[in-house]
Amino acid sequence: MIGLGYIGLPTAALIAKNRTPVHGVDINPGVVDTINSGKIHIVEPELDQIVEDAVKEGYLKAATTPVEGNVYLIVVPTPFKGKNEPDISFVEAGTQAIIPLLKEGDLYIIESTSPIGTTEKMMDLIYSSRPELRDKVCIAYCPERVLPGNVMDELVHNDRVIGGVNEASTNKAVEFYNQFVKGKLHKTNARTAEMCKLVENSSRDVQIAFANELSLICDKAGINVWELIELANKHPRVNILQPGCGVGGHCIAVDPYFIVSDYPMESQIIGKAREINNYKSFWCAEKVQTAKLEFELKHGRKPKIALMGLAFKPNIDDLRESPAKYIVQKVLQNANNEEYFIVEPNISSHKVFKLTDCHEAVQEADIVVFLVAHKEFLSLKLSDDKPVLDFCGVFKKEH
Ligand code: SAJ
């Protein structure tokens, strides 16, 4: 298992739990030591017990370098370099590290979200170093689609799409995943499997952009967008998603660029959806600015403002790539002697923001801004005369 992050470690733990010895590799020695001590470095329900048991029973071992095996899984990050260009250097480095170890009959699988053609590129890399292995090893792509916070369940029960560079590779990969996946295993080729992952997340990004665009239109039209969407979704075949303060996380907000950067002329909607979702966060920050100025004009004093939520989506503690955090930073950059109450119920403290309890914040603030629909916010009671900016449907009505 090359890569022991949010996907690599849970996958390694699951395979080891099925009594298949797993040698996990990570470039971070701290991660390696943590795992070898039976502990984990990520937050994921149930994972800690499975790792502890697997390490104790000797089925899971971590190191910074690979050893010879029979199945090699590449599960490393594929970030961006420059202007939204996918960076597959970690996939290449992981592949280079195992090429000397490959032998006839082995199986090589990439799980990392990758631009179309990456699996074939890695096949060429393997064969250029080891020409004697041509058509003697199996090479496939199998994306993951697990939801953070439910990974251990979804790794087992989600269907998987498995795409080999040839039929033998597809079949060998299906045989491997059959050991621990209970969901259906759908066969295809490597390029289709690569595109499938990108399309799953891009389709969601486009659907969210439609909802966000509606929220901008309704704001101008004097229509309650939450009521509108609820009514439209009464149609048996309509399912409009929820507007938010932007699209966060390192999946939905990122994967569409893998398509746009390779097919810029053809991916018009996909590219525009990214622009709309990014613009929504800027739009929300502007709305807070306007509300501040309106309050000061009306009351002759600076407002106290509650900023509700920092995480990238409801009911999690992950602030990475969070539009809410971006908006809070932007609002604070324009601060001018107002008092701010920043609320994030899923973390106890933050190295930059002083956090306030949600009840105290809505009590003390003159203006309440809902950025993330955390469950703790749904039961809050606000006096009717208090201006509320509800960007995420906590109250489902505008005050
Ligand atoms: N969001 C909205 N409105 C909505 C739904 C989501 O604004 O109606 C926002 C969220 O607030 C968040 C962002 O979109 O900022 C992404 O949220 P998400 O619910 O899509 O969750 P992720 O990014 O954690 O997980 C997605 C999932 N992909 C799909 O649902 C197609 C998950 O299955 C993938 O495995 C994951 O991306 C991934 O790792 O690719």
Side-chain angles (χ1 to χ4, degrees):
M1 181 66 69
I2 309 296
L4 294 173
Y6 280 86
I7 303 301
L9 181 56
T11 307
L14 201 56
I15 297 168
K17 183 182 166 197
N18 283 13
R19 292 185 167 19
T20 298
V22 178
H23 179 89
V25 179
D26 201 284
I27 51 173
N28 181 330
V31 168
V32 169
D33 295 343
T34 302
I35 293 166
N36 284 333
S37 67
K39 300 270 179 289
I40 61 175
H41 62 296
I42 56 178
V43 176
E44 189 55 53
E46 299 171 38
L47 179 62
D48 47 358
Q49 194 56 57
I50 297 174
V51 167
E52 185 185 342
D53 297 345
V55 170
K56 205 184 310 170
E57 290 159 22
Y59 283 104
L60 175 60
K61 179 172 174 14
T64 54
T65 52
V67 297
E68 190 175 315
N70 308 94
V71 179
Y72 298 86
L73 282 151
I74 306 287
V75 196
V76 294
T78 44
F80 280 122
K81 56 188 180 212
K83 177 103 186 70
N84 294 332
E85 282 303 309
D87 173 5
I88 62 168
S89 62
F90 294 110
V91 171
E92 281 168 334
T95 304
Q96 289 288 15
I98 60 109
I99 283 177
L101 301 168
L102 282 170
K103 63 188 179 303
E104 192 169 332
D106 284 352
L107 171 60
Y108 164 95
I109 299 170
I110 300 176
E111 288 201 356
S112 307
T113 300
S114 300
I116 312 309
T118 300
T119 308
E120 288 151 358
K121 231 183 243 175
M122 293 306 106
M123 175 181 71
D124 297 342
L125 202 63
I126 292 169
Y127 291 159
S128 60
S129 308
R130 304 284 304 276
E132 79 282 10
L133 287 179
R134 181 172 290 280
D135 298 333
K136 297 274 191 302
V137 293
C138 288
I139 296 170
Y141 181 78
C142 177
E144 51 69 33
R145 42 181 53 156
V146 297
L147 206 59
N150 194 30
V151 171
M152 297 321 289
D153 174 70
E154 293 206 357
L155 272 180
V156 175
H157 296 104
N158 284 0
D159 285 13
R160 305 270 314 231
V161 172
I162 299 176
V165 294
N166 53 42
E167 201 172 338
S169 297
T170 305
N171 292 335
K172 182 112 177 167
V174 166
E175 197 186 308
F176 168 70
Y177 282 100
N178 251 328
Q179 292 176 66
F180 63 96
V181 174
K182 293 199 174 66
K184 282 197 205 61
L185 302 176
H186 303 281
K187 297 181 181 180
T188 183
N189 59 61
R191 293 175 79 83
T192 305
E194 289 164 343
M195 182 63 94
C196 188
K197 172 66 185 178
L198 300 178
V199 160
E200 287 163 8
N201 283 351
S202 299
S203 70
R204 188 163 172 83
D205 197 49
V206 168
Q207 289 175 292
I208 296 167
F210 182 78
N212 281 330
E213 184 159 285
L214 283 185
S215 68
L216 271 55
I217 294 166
C218 287
D219 181 68
K220 201 138 198 166
I223 292 170
N224 178 320
V225 70
W226 312 105
E227 179 189 4
L228 171 71
I229 291 173
E230 194 177 348
L231 292 173
N233 284 349
K234 298 296 183 200
H235 185 293
R237 286 175 298 285
V238 171
N239 175 34
I240 301 168
L241 294 185
Q242 293 294 298
C245 68
V247 170
H250 40 292
C251 312
I252 304 292
V254 169
D255 296 358
Y257 289 122
F258 280 47
I259 298 176
V260 174
S261 62
D262 281 346
Y263 306 96
M265 297 313 295
E266 293 76 13
S267 46
Q268 299 291 316
I269 293 179
I270 298 171
K272 193 68 190 165
R274 284 280 71 240
E275 287 174 34
I276 291 167
N277 287 331
N278 287 337
Y279 174 70
K280 181 65 187 287
S281 303
F282 175 80
W283 184 84
C284 292
E286 288 295 293
K287 279 287 174 189
V288 176
Q289 200 59 16
T290 307
K292 272 167 48 177
L293 298 177
E294 283 173 354
F295 181 92
E296 190 172 349
L297 278 174
K298 186 173 176 188
H299 299 273
R301 67 174 174 84
K302 297 284 186 188
K304 295 180 214 168
I305 299 163
L307 298 167
M308 311 293 283
L310 285 174
F312 90 78
K313 70 179 197 178
N315 310 320
I316 58 155
D317 64 353
D318 191 345
L319 273 57
R320 290 173 307 160
E321 318 288 325
S322 164
K325 188 175 72 173
Y326 160 81
I327 293 164
V328 169
Q329 284 163 339
K330 209 158 167 56
V331 168
L332 294 182
Q333 276 162 17
N334 296 324
N336 180 6
N337 297 324
E338 303 87 9
E339 188 177 355
Y340 291 95
F341 301 103
I342 299 168
V343 177
E344 179 40 69
N346 295 293
I347 57 176
S348 51
S349 66
H350 188 273
K351 57 186 182 308
V352 173
F353 305 117
K354 181 172 86 60
L355 301 179
T356 304
D357 164 74
C358 62
H359 296 90
E360 181 190 342
V362 297
Q363 184 64 40
E364 292 298 313
D366 299 306
I367 301 172
V368 181
V369 181
F370 286 106
L371 296 167
V372 189
H374 289 316
K375 62 183 184 314
E376 291 82 356
F377 300 164
L378 306 180
S379 55
L380 289 173
K381 297 277 176 283
L382 266 67
S383 53
D384 264 352
D385 64 340
K386 194 163 284 192
V388 171
L389 296 180
D390 179 9
F391 295 130
C392 56
V394 167
F395 271 42
K396 299 242 187 275
K397 55 182 179 301
E398 312 292 330
H399 278 231

